[in-house]
Each structure stands twice: as structure tokens, then as C-alpha cells.
């Protein structure tokens, strides 16, 4: 392959799907990981391996990466996009929802990093892009646990970036505001979902997954000696 392997988690819809389409069009071979393999396969992208993987299963990630590397060569970029947004108040929300979010948003990200980072450091090259949120920079009503996971994404990304900078490995945080994806559908409270939709309409609509894919492509395609440490992007009329 003329270009190096890119791994995308949560690639079956939304930001992951848009990023897969974007990077495939740029000629990158891809390993797409998500629980819904049929939706990834339906993209019908060239030089792409699709595997049904839960990011909380580090062994499953490792097996899929090993298979893809055998076919396309070493992973040059990991995009940790898989995520859950389950909103609620701390005294009302089911604690099981908190556990789910931390397992996917934090442990899932760390699992992917654990699988690819040692080889990147050994090669003195590689990029890890972690999809966080503006909710990783400030708090929002009903977002306590979700904000906790995204603040963790910000902190972990910056911490490891400093650790591997001398190994010429880049760590990048992408922090979108509200995006038109399936993320909100995971929330169980109809009242919270209705309020969120009203907020989106009040700002005249939110940004599209393609906008995030473009930002990811921009950051990744910089020379290896340039690290775009963080990109924050949102609809112009989104105030927080």
C-alpha cells in the first residue's frame, strides 16, 4: 500500500463513518471496528477490513489489529471514536449507565492505545486521535458522568502526548460541540432528549459528522513533526 493503515473505532455511523469515507477517499487502507459490522460492510470501501469488536474487549481489538497489519502493514493512525452519551442527574440516573460510559469512553480508548502504542514508539512514528467533546472542557446540565468521561479523554490524551513526544508519536484531541449523530439516542430520558433537541434547534442546527472528519483529516495529514494538539469546533451559534 502507498499509504499506511488507519484504525477507526465506532465506525458504523456518525463521525466514524464520515471519517472512514473521508480517509478512504484519500487512499488510506482502513480497519473499521464497531459492534454493527453490517453497517460498516455496507460502506463498501476499498482496502478496508471490517470487524465486529466491542472496544471494552482489549483482546478483540488486538486480534483485529493483528489481522489488519498482516494485510496492510503497521498501524500508523488510531482514531478512538467509539463513545456513549447517557445523560441524567446524579441522584436519578442508573449507575449502570455511568459504568457503561466509563467502560466505552475511557477504557475503550485506553484499550486501543495499549494495542498500538508500543509499536508506534518502536518505529518512532504514529498518530493517535481521540474524539472527546466540548463536554471535556466545560460542564453541562445532566452531563455529570458524561463530562467526567470526556474530561478523562482530554487528560489522558495530553498526558500520553507528553510521554511519547520524544518518540515522535503524536496524540491529538478533537473536541466537537453538538453534532448530528446517533449519540443522543442512547439517553433513556425523553425529557432530556427533548430539551437537547430544542437546544440544537435554537442554535439553527448543529455541525455534521463530515465537519469532524475534515478536521481529523487536516490534523492527521500534517507532517509527522507537527502535532495539532487539540481542535475544538462547533456550530457558530453554539454558545457554551
Amino acid at each position: 500500500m502507498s499509504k499506511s493503515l488507519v484504525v477507526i473505532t465506532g465506525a458504523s455511523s456518525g463521525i466514524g463513518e464520515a471519517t472512514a469515507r473521508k480517509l478512504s477517499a484519500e487512499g488510506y487502507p482502513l480497519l473499521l471496528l464497531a459492534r454493527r459490522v453490517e453497517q460498516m460492510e455496507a460502506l463498501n470501501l476499498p482496502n478496508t477490513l471490517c470487524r465486529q469488536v466491542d472496544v471494552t474487549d482489549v483482546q478483540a481489538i488486538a486480534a483485529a489489529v493483528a489481522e489488519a497489519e498482516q494485510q496492510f502493514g503497521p498501524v500508523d493512525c488510531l482514531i478512538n471514536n467509539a463513545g456513549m452519551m447517557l445523560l441524567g442527574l446524579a441522584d436519578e440516573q442508573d449507575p449502570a449507565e455511568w459504568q457503561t460510559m466509563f467502560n466505552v469512553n475511557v477504557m475503550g480508548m485506553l484499550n486501543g492505545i495499549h494495542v498500538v502504542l508500543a509499536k508506534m514508539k518502536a518505529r518512532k512514528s504514529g498518530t493517535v486521535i481521540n474524539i472527546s467533546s466540548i463536554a471535556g472542557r466545560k460542564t453541562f446540565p445532566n452531563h455529570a458522568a458524561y463530562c467526567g468521561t470526556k474530561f478523562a479523554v482530554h487528560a489522558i490524551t495530553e498526558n500520553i502526548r507528553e510521554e511519547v513526544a520524544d518518540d515522535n508519536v503524536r496524540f491529538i484531541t478533537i473536541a466537537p460541540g453538538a453534532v448530528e449523530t446517533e449519540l443522543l439516542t442512547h439517553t433513556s430520558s425523553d425529557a432530556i432528549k427533548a430539551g437537547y433537541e430544542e437546544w440544537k434547534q435554537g442554535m439553527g442546527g448543529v455541525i455534521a459528522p463530515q465537519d469532524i472528519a475534515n478536521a481529523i483529516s487536516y490534523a492527521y495529514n500534517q507532517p509527522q513533526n507537527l502535532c495539532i494538539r487539540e481542535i475544538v469546533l462547533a456550530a457558530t451559534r453554539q454558545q457554551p
Side-chain angles (χ1 to χ4, degrees):
M1 300 298 301
S2 60
K3 292 196 174 184
S4 299
L5 175 62
V6 176
V7 179
I8 305 173
T9 71
S12 60
S13 66
I15 294 169
E17 176 188 335
T19 304
R21 292 183 186 276
K22 173 74 172 174
L23 295 184
S24 178
E26 294 175 1
Y28 290 98
L30 303 175
L31 169 62
L32 304 183
L33 305 178
R35 292 173 297 174
R36 299 176 294 181
V37 69
E38 298 85 0
Q39 291 183 238
M40 296 185 293
E41 291 173 342
L43 298 176
N44 197 30
L45 300 175
N47 299 314
T48 296
L49 192 64
C50 303
R51 289 294 176 262
Q52 185 176 36
V53 167
D54 185 328
V55 294
T56 64
D57 184 347
V58 68
Q59 297 304 322
I61 298 173
V65 166
E67 182 183 3
E69 287 189 323
Q70 206 167 32
Q71 186 171 343
F72 299 120
V75 174
D76 187 61
C77 179
L78 167 65
I79 301 169
N80 278 308
N81 168 70
M84 295 285 287
M85 184 172 75
L86 303 169
L87 305 182
L89 294 172
D91 61 328
E92 297 177 358
Q93 191 170 10
D94 183 349
E97 293 189 348
W98 308 336
Q99 190 67 65
T100 296
M101 280 193 292
F102 275 89
N103 286 346
V104 174
N105 298 359
V106 182
M107 290 306 302
M109 174 190 69
L110 283 167
N111 287 340
I113 292 168
H114 181 74
V115 168
V116 304
L117 186 54
K119 289 183 178 179
M120 288 182 175
K121 290 170 65 177
R123 291 194 309 270
K124 301 296 183 185
S125 184
T127 302
V128 174
I129 300 175
N130 294 328
I131 308 303
S132 186
S133 170
I134 286 180
R137 298 166 55 88
K138 69 174 302 297
T139 57
F140 294 85
N142 302 306
H143 283 58
Y146 179 72
C147 283
T149 69
K150 291 304 185 178
F151 268 72
V153 171
H154 267 75
I156 291 167
T157 306
E158 175 61 14
N159 201 106
I160 302 177
R161 186 199 64 75
E162 294 176 6
E163 292 173 354
V164 301
D166 284 343
D167 296 301
N168 200 43
V169 176
R170 304 182 297 182
F171 267 66
I172 297 167
T173 304
I174 305 289
V179 184
E180 198 58 64
T181 71
E182 297 178 2
L183 203 59
L184 184 64
T185 62
H186 302 147
T187 293
S188 56
S189 169
D190 290 335
I192 290 175
K193 286 192 282 191
Y196 198 91
E197 289 296 336
E198 184 179 349
W199 176 61
K200 285 162 55 175
Q201 292 172 16
M203 70 178 84
V206 297
I207 55 179
Q210 186 61 51
D211 299 320
I212 313 303
N214 292 342
I216 290 169
S217 171
Y218 169 76
Y220 177 45
N221 284 309
Q222 298 304 310
Q224 188 66 30
N225 69 334
L226 175 63
C227 180
I228 306 292
R229 297 183 183 183
E230 182 178 359
I231 297 177
V232 184
L233 64 167
T236 301
R237 290 176 59 190
Q238 178 175 333
Q239 293 178 358

